[in-house]
Amino acid sequence: MFTETIPSMNFDLSETCQMVAASAASFAQQHIAPHVREWDEHQHLPIELFRKAGELGFMGILVPEVYGGSGLGYHEYIAIIDELSKVDPSIGLSVAAHNSLCTNHILEFGSEEQKQRYLPALASGEHLGAWGLTEHNTGSDAGGMNTTAVFDGKNWTLNGTKNFITHGKSGDIAVVIARTGVKGDSRGMTAFIVERDTPGFNAGKKEDKLGMRASETAEMIFDNCVISDDQRIGLEGEGFIQSMKILDGGRISIGALSIGIAKAAFEASLKYSQERIQFGKPISAFQGISFKLADMATEIEAAELLLHKAAFLKNENRQMTLNSAMCKLFASELCVRAANEAVQIHGGYGYSKDFPVEKLYRDAKLCTIGEGTSEIQRVVISKNILKGL
């Protein structure tokens, strides 16, 4: 496990990666930065922004060009989510969830007809995607879900409620996992595509959140929602297994989001510590502050290496469950530490909304929860390393 080597040890970002990173940074400064505080305070999901992001290819990053996407890989994907998240993690989260969950589930497991039907509109940003696995009583224990799908020989009828769903209210297309067999059976769940205007598909409560407030989180309610069998993704009973594979890639998303937050916290702290004068010198001159900056910079570097190794393995279609769990665990906990230290470095100003680290502090915590908690990542990691003994 630890002795495996990666063939290429060139740590320079490709020219393509640098170009998309610069494009994402420019887009974020022009279209996101002026609105960050307003969107956060009003919990406003800027639907119009995602149309503009689609024009630059940010809504179909991994989708092949034949389906209207950018046809890029995971290194470029990381670069885009990183740059967007440095300006507003909420937007980074929404773009990541749209790409890696809903859109990628259809790309990875959908039929050719489903890909042609749904991917172009998702990749362009015309349609916003949602992905429904979590329920009120089944967070980490997804296998115990209560939402059911019953087949009558022609159509499926969905009943149940999903919660904590990104774009649960505004998403145009949802990939939904429902129980089609015995509760707790990993082969007893199936994935479906549900369009927003389908009768019986409704939005429920929108969460009033601590952070990531411009990224909508809401319930999806299915009340005798009837869909045809051609809306089923893959074979009956494959839904949970598909979802676990999707979450492997999704953990790269949260890793990229986390690194964006950590970098923003570090850069704000570095700037402030050089400008803030106490006892006749900038506070960066004091060891207590400079050591905080040193730790933040070192851990960001380590997290990026973990993340790009997972991306490399994903691009190569190699086994990367262990690596995605490691990069997600390390990067998410790092971003919480970095945001905490950033507030500390800023002192009283760090507690004020006039400085960006206050929002980063609130936004960071979700990264240790979404796409599997830190505790679940440790379960995944420990199972994988013990398997190798």
Side-chain angles (χ1 to χ4, degrees):
M1 176 183 65
F2 299 114
T3 57
E4 179 188 14
T5 57
I6 296 178
S8 171
M9 296 300 286
N10 181 1
F11 293 105
D12 293 329
L13 291 177
S14 69
E15 184 177 348
T16 301
C17 211
Q18 293 178 55
M19 287 175 60
V20 298
S23 178
S26 175
F27 175 84
Q29 287 301 321
Q30 182 179 355
H31 297 291
I32 300 174
H35 310 289
V36 170
R37 185 164 178 177
E38 174 193 353
W39 292 345
D40 178 67
E41 290 181 349
H42 294 94
Q43 287 206 107
H44 173 67
L45 178 71
I47 297 290
E48 66 286 349
L49 177 76
F50 302 117
R51 310 274 193 266
K52 294 175 184 175
E55 293 173 5
L56 293 178
F58 297 161
M59 303 302 280
I61 302 167
L62 304 168
V63 176
E65 293 180 20
V66 68
Y67 302 119
S70 299
L72 298 172
Y74 272 84
H75 296 297
E76 292 81 12
Y77 176 65
I78 289 167
I80 292 168
I81 301 303
D82 178 345
E83 292 294 342
L84 297 178
S85 302
K86 283 166 66 176
V87 175
D88 189 346
S90 298
I91 303 306
L93 173 63
S94 275
V95 172
H98 170 92
N99 274 278
S100 70
L101 299 179
C102 175
T103 304
N104 204 41
H105 199 134
I106 297 172
L107 175 64
E108 291 284 336
F109 300 107
S111 66
E112 184 59 30
E113 189 277 332
Q114 289 169 339
K115 293 176 186 178
Q116 291 182 8
R117 181 176 178 183
Y118 293 109
L119 290 180
L122 288 166
S124 70
E126 178 186 350
H127 285 167
L128 191 61
W131 191 76
L133 179 66
T134 301
E135 299 183 2
H136 288 278
N137 296 315
T138 59
S140 297
D141 180 21
M145 69 176 57
N146 293 312
T147 298
T148 59
V150 178
F151 190 51
D152 64 7
K154 181 180 179 182
N155 298 314
W156 293 88
T157 300
L158 275 63
N159 280 288
T161 301
K162 300 290 182 179
N163 81 321
F164 294 138
I165 307 302
T166 303
H167 312 145
K169 181 178 180 181
S170 299
D172 301 285
I173 304 296
V175 171
V176 181
I177 319 303
R179 184 162 55 82
T180 53
V182 178
K183 185 181 287 192
D185 180 6
S186 63
R187 293 278 179 181
M189 289 160 276
T190 304
F192 302 92
I193 302 171
V194 188
E195 298 176 15
R196 174 59 63 180
D197 59 0
T198 306
F201 178 21
N202 301 297
K205 176 189 175 184
K206 178 180 175 180
E207 302 295 336
D208 189 3
K209 300 179 297 182
L210 168 72
M212 301 288 192
R213 290 172 59 82
S215 180
E216 176 188 277
T217 304
E219 292 177 324
M220 296 194 301
I221 300 172
F222 302 92
D223 182 11
N224 290 320
C225 178
V226 179
I227 56 174
S228 62
D229 191 46
D230 63 13
Q231 299 299 98
R232 171 175 43 83
I233 302 178
L235 299 175
E236 181 180 345
E238 289 185 340
F240 183 77
I241 293 143
Q242 292 173 7
S243 297
M244 293 304 101
K245 292 178 180 177
I246 291 299
L247 286 173
D248 277 347
R251 286 163 183 157
I252 292 177
S253 299
I254 301 299
L257 172 63
S258 300
I259 284 178
I261 294 172
K263 285 181 178 178
F266 170 74
E267 290 169 10
S269 299
L270 183 63
K271 180 175 183 292
Y272 180 82
S273 69
Q274 292 172 313
E275 295 172 348
R276 175 69 167 172
I277 305 298
Q278 293 288 277
F279 306 103
K281 63 179 75 171
I283 62 172
S284 60
F286 296 102
Q287 192 177 78
I289 301 299
S290 64
F291 277 16
K292 290 181 188 294
L293 295 170
D295 287 343
M296 291 163 72
T298 302
E299 291 188 344
I300 289 169
E301 184 77 7
E304 281 201 287
L305 290 172
L306 279 169
L307 189 59
H308 280 284
K309 180 175 181 181
F312 168 81
L313 294 172
K314 183 67 174 174
N315 282 342
E316 295 291 313
N317 292 315
R318 289 163 61 178
Q319 177 57 244
M320 45 75 73
T321 298
L322 172 63
N323 302 87
S324 68
M326 284 179 166
C327 77
K328 194 273 185 187
L329 172 64
F330 188 83
S332 65
E333 297 205 337
L334 153 66
C335 85
V336 171
R337 289 193 299 272
N340 181 62
E341 292 288 41
V343 171
Q344 194 70 20
I345 288 169
H346 281 72
Y349 292 111
Y351 211 64
S352 165
K353 287 183 180 291
D354 291 331
F355 285 76
V357 296
E358 178 271 342
K359 181 176 182 297
L360 294 172
Y361 184 78
R362 289 186 288 110
D363 288 344
K365 187 57 193 171
L366 179 68
C367 295
T368 66
I369 299 170
E371 311 284 51
T373 63
S374 291
E375 291 73 22
I376 288 295
Q377 303 316 310
R378 289 185 170 94
V379 168
V380 172
I381 293 165
S382 60
K383 281 184 176 179
N384 274 270
I385 59 177
L386 290 170
K387 263 192 321 189
L389 296 179

